[in-house]
Amino acid sequence: MSNLRSLTAILTGVLFCSSAFAAEGRASIGFAINAVTSGGFFSQTLERVKVTKVLPGSPAEDAGLLVGDVIVTANKTPIRGSSSSDLSAILRGLKVGDHLRLEVDRSGETKAIDIVGGARK
């Protein structure tokens, strides 16, 4: 367990900064995560991804995503065992109007969340 690392800064930047790229057609989704990983710096494997912030008025809030939700899948890609770059690629590839379909664990219950990428406000 000593090699578990938190990618909070990296993946939070991808999620929050996605709104900064919306002018280029990339979607704004409006949430931040804390990712626990294992592996080396260049080959990190996701163990757990938890939502730490949902921006008010964001597509994520509109879809019902809540702080504390643990993301299980993103667009049918299992989170646990995937590389952090796989998740980053899914998020960076979202365009305005695209759907980010998440399965989340909310207090032991699986919930489906469908976030529609929004334009920058």
Side-chain angles (χ1 to χ4, degrees), residues 48-118:
R48 185 170 193 257
V49 174
K50 186 175 184 177
V51 177
T52 58
K53 185 171 187 172
V54 178
L55 294 176
S58 69
E61 182 185 57
D62 293 345
L65 191 67
L66 299 176
V67 170
D69 284 347
V70 175
I71 301 173
V72 178
T73 67
N75 287 350
K76 298 185 181 180
T77 300
I79 295 301
R80 187 176 180 92
S82 292
S83 73
S84 55
S85 61
D86 290 341
L87 179 58
S88 293
I90 289 169
L91 300 173
R92 279 193 318 264
L94 291 174
K95 304 274 190 255
V96 174
D98 285 353
H99 291 254
L100 173 61
R101 291 179 175 91
L102 303 176
E103 281 186 9
V104 301
D105 179 327
R106 184 176 294 160
S107 302
E109 191 174 328
T110 301
K111 300 276 185 190
I113 305 289
D114 185 16
I115 301 171
V116 179

Side-chain angles (χ1 to χ4, degrees), residues 17-35:
C17 292
S18 67
S19 63
F21 297 112
E24 298 174 15
R26 290 189 185 174
S28 170
I29 51 180
F31 68 95
I33 58 172
N34 178 299

